[in-house]
Amino acid sequence: MSTARLLVIDAGTTGIRALIYDENAAILAQAYTEFPQYHPAPDRVEQEPSDIWDATQAMIRQALDAAELQPGEITAIGITNQRATTIVWHARTGEPIGRAIVWQDTRTADRAEALNAEWGDRVYARTGWAIAPVYSSLSLEWMLANVPEAAAAAENDQLRFGTVDSWLIYRLTGRAAHVISASNASVTGSYDLLAGDWYREWLDALGIPASAYPEVRDDSGVLGVTAADVFGAEVPIASAIADQHSALFAQGCIEPGMTKCTHGTGTFLDMTIGTEPLIDTASGLTTQIAWRLNGETVYALEGYAGSTGSAVQWLRDGAEIIATSAQSEELARSVPDNGGVYFVPALTGLSAPYWDAYARGTIFGISPGTKRGHLARATLEGIVFSVRDFMDAMSTVSGHPITRIAVDGGASRNDLLLQFQADQLDAEVVRPRNTEATSLGAALLAGLATGVWANAAEALATQEIEASFTPAVSADTRAAQYRTWKRAVERSRGWLRDAGEE
C-alpha cells in the first residue's frame, strides 16, 4: 500500500461533494454545496449543466484548500454520480444544449406507456429495465423533438449525449474525452446487456443517432487525464461509477447474494448477482451492470423508490414541520406509533415494482388526533415499506434469501428508521462507520486502478461496522402493517391519469 491522496467527486441529485481520501480510505477533507433545481411544470425536473460544472470546480478548490494540497499532489480522481440524468452538448462548441433532464422527471410518462405496448418486454429483456420516464433514451427523444438546437446538432452529427459522469469527464479533460462508465451506461435504457453494446435497434426506432453516445469504459481504470489548464495538473481520472453501484462495492457486496440499501433522495436496494445477467420482466426489478473491472462485468439486481429522502425534504421545505431532515427522527419518536397514518411517498410516481408514473404522494388515516409526529413517523415507515415492495421479488429472482442488509446514505444515521427496517424486512441491518458509501466506492476503485491497493479484499479491509439492528416485532405485527400499506399504495395509483379523465 502506498501513500495516496484520492479526490472523489460525488455528483448527487441535489448537490456536489468533493472529498479527499488517503491510503487508509479515511476522509481528509470534504466540501459540499447544492445547486439549483428547476421545475417548470409539475412533471419536470431540470438542472443546468453549467451549474453542475461550476459547483464541481468550486468544491474541488475548497476540498484541496481544506486538505492543504495542490492539484499535482492528487494521486487519482474518482467520480460517482446521479444516474440516468440526461445532458447533451454541441461537439464543436462544447456548450450544453438546453437543461439536463433529471432522472426524477416524468414528462415522458405518456410516451413510455405507449412504447410499452409494442416494445415493453423486448426492451426490458435486453436493457434490464422496464420502459419508464427514467430512460435517458426517452429524454433524448423528447429533446430531439422539442429542442431545435439539439435536432440541428444531431442532423450535422454534432450532438453529444452523456450522463453526469460523461459531462464531468468531458470538462475535466478539456473536452478531450467523450466516455461513460459501464455502470452508468447500463442505466440509460439504451444499453444492450446481452450484446454488450448500445441497443441500436431501439435507438433507431426512437430516431436517436448512435453517434451521439459515448464510448463505454471500465468503472475502474483510466477514463481520461485532467487538462492542466482546467484542473491545475495532469491527473488520471481512474474511476467513474454510478452512485448506487459505487455504494454496493464500498459495502463489500462483491459476492452473489450480498445486498445493500442506500437511503438518499430515493431508496435503492441492490444485490450483487455475479457475472451473468438475470432479467425477469415480470418482477419489476432492474438488472444492471454493477461494475466492470479489468474487462470483467459483474451484474446486480435493483429495486428503487424514487422519492423517499425527497419525502423527508418535503416535511422540511413543503410542510415545514421540521427545520432539518435530521429532526425527523426526534419528531417521529414523540409518538409511540404511526397512529394509523400511512404516507405513500410517490411524489414523482411509483418506481419498482409498480412503475406507475401517474401515482402521487398520498397520506391516509388522518384523524382529529393526528399530530406532526405521526406524519414524521409515517414518512419514515413509508421509506421502509417502499423497499419491502420489491425485496421479496429480489430474493425470488436471485435465488438468494435476504437476511442481512448493509445500509448507507444520509438517512442511515436515523436509528428509528433502521430499526423499523429490520422489523419490517425481517433482516439484520448493519451500518458501517463510514456512511459516505457512494464516494467511498469511487475512491476504492480509483485506488485499485492506480495501485494504492493490490486487490478488492485489501481495499475493503479498511472498513468497519458501527451498528447492527435486528428484528424486534412479531410476524403477525409485520404482516398487519404491510397489509395496510398495500391498501394505501393501491389508492395512490393512477392519480394523475384518473384526474385527467374527470
Side-chain angles (χ1 to χ4, degrees):
M1 184 187 297
S2 59
T3 300
R5 297 294 181 264
L6 302 167
L7 170 66
V8 172
I9 301 166
D10 186 346
T13 301
T14 57
I16 298 289
R17 190 182 307 276
L19 309 94
I20 296 175
Y21 285 85
D22 67 12
E23 65 276 6
N24 297 310
I27 298 173
L28 301 179
Q30 61 179 303
Y32 175 77
T33 188
E34 293 187 351
F35 50 79
Q37 314 289 309
Y38 300 94
H39 304 276
D43 60 349
R44 300 191 181 188
V45 186
E46 300 176 348
Q47 296 165 353
E48 289 285 359
S50 58
D51 288 342
I52 297 173
W53 173 236
D54 291 345
T56 298
Q57 291 179 291
M59 292 307 97
I60 288 173
R61 288 193 295 270
Q62 286 190 27
L64 288 172
D65 289 345
E68 298 182 345
L69 292 172
Q70 296 299 314
E73 296 177 278
I74 295 298
T75 306
I77 295 172
I79 296 173
T80 185
N81 56 280
Q82 57 165 312
R83 307 178 308 173
T85 289
T86 301
I87 301 177
V88 297
W89 60 92
H90 198 285
R92 181 175 55 81
T93 67
E95 293 302 312
I97 298 174
R99 288 176 176 166
I101 297 180
V102 181
W103 62 275
Q104 296 170 312
D105 191 284
T106 60
R107 74 185 68 187
T108 59
D110 289 343
R111 178 62 170 154
E113 185 174 44
L115 285 166
N116 263 307
E118 178 183 358
W119 284 87
D121 286 347
R122 186 173 10 160
V123 172
Y124 199 155
R126 302 301 289 265
T127 68
W129 286 66
I131 297 177
V134 74
Y135 265 41
S136 298
S137 51
L138 296 189
S139 295
L140 266 174
E141 183 193 37
W142 186 94
M143 286 182 168
L144 290 172
N146 294 276
V147 182
E149 188 180 353
E155 287 179 3
N156 295 305
D157 196 25
Q158 294 294 302
L159 185 71
R160 296 295 179 263
F161 153 74
T163 45
V164 175
D165 63 320
S166 305
W167 173 241
L168 294 181
I169 293 170
Y170 179 71
R171 297 307 300 259
L172 285 166
T173 61
R175 302 176 178 174
H178 181 212
V179 299
I180 189 172
S181 71
S183 63
N184 276 294
S186 75
V187 297
T188 60
S190 306
Y191 194 75
D192 187 335
L193 294 180
L194 303 186
D197 197 1
W198 297 115
Y199 190 10
R200 293 175 188 270
E201 180 186 8
W202 172 242
L203 297 182
D204 288 346
L206 297 179
I208 300 172
S211 61
Y213 277 72
E215 178 186 352
V216 181
R217 298 282 191 85
D218 284 8
D219 293 83
S220 179
V222 178
L223 294 94
V225 176
T226 60
D229 61 344
V230 175
F231 184 70
E234 293 185 353
V235 176
I237 301 171
S239 75
I241 184 167
D243 52 10
Q244 302 311 316
H245 316 230
S246 185
L248 188 67
F249 186 86
Q251 291 279 27
C253 299
I254 59 176
E255 298 296 332
M258 290 183 171
T259 306
K260 71 84 186 166
C261 182
T262 297
H263 293 296
T265 302
T267 292
F268 299 78
L269 188 72
D270 295 83
M271 175 191 285
T272 303
I273 56 174
T275 56
E276 296 293 331
L278 297 172
I279 301 175
D280 187 319
T281 59
S283 68
L285 299 174
T286 63
T287 303
Q288 55 208 19
I289 295 174
W291 48 77
R292 198 173 77 187
L293 307 181
N294 300 317
E296 181 181 72
T297 303
V298 173
Y299 296 90
L301 291 176
E302 179 178 275
Y304 76 88
S307 300
T308 52
S310 296
V312 177
Q313 291 175 338
W314 174 78
L315 290 180
R316 181 192 68 191
D317 303 331
E320 297 183 348
I321 65 173
I322 53 175
T324 67
S325 295
Q327 289 179 354
S328 61
E329 179 176 4
E330 178 183 359
L331 183 57
R333 288 188 183 277
S334 69
V335 293
D337 53 42
N338 66 15
V341 177
Y342 283 74
F343 181 10
V344 181
L347 304 186
T348 57
L350 286 168
S351 304
Y354 308 103
W355 299 108
D356 184 349
Y358 300 98
R360 279 301 177 269
T362 45
I363 301 173
F364 297 95
I366 295 175
S367 68
T370 299
K371 300 179 180 179
R372 293 186 308 141
H374 295 120
L375 294 177
R377 198 173 189 105
T379 302
L380 298 181
E381 292 181 357
I383 294 173
V384 173
F385 287 129
S386 297
V387 174
R388 179 165 177 183
D389 280 342
F390 45 74
M391 177 178 157
D392 291 343
M394 187 173 289
S395 294
T396 300
V397 172
S398 69
H400 296 285
I402 299 175
T403 58
R404 185 178 189 270
I405 302 171
V407 295
D408 56 78
S412 66
R413 286 292 170 193
N414 188 316
D415 286 358
L416 182 63
L417 172 68
L418 298 194
Q419 184 57 59
F420 190 75
Q421 184 166 0
D423 290 342
Q424 186 58 221
L425 305 188
D426 193 24
E428 180 188 15
V429 174
V430 295
R431 179 173 64 208
R433 190 169 301 281
N434 180 4
T435 57
E436 292 289 346
T438 53
S439 63
L440 174 62
L444 297 179
L445 291 170
L448 285 172
T450 52
V452 177
W453 297 286
N455 51 52
E458 183 177 287
L460 293 169
T462 60
Q463 301 311 300
E464 300 176 357
I465 297 299
E466 178 189 75
S468 176
F469 302 81
T470 55
V473 300
S474 69
D476 288 345
T477 297
R478 182 181 304 120
Q481 291 171 333
Y482 189 57
R483 279 195 301 271
T484 306
W485 162 261
K486 295 291 284 186
R487 289 172 54 215
V489 169
E490 287 307 309
R491 285 160 173 77
S492 76
R493 298 189 65 182
W495 178 260
L496 290 185
R497 183 195 291 109
D498 295 344
E501 293 175 352
E502 293 178 356

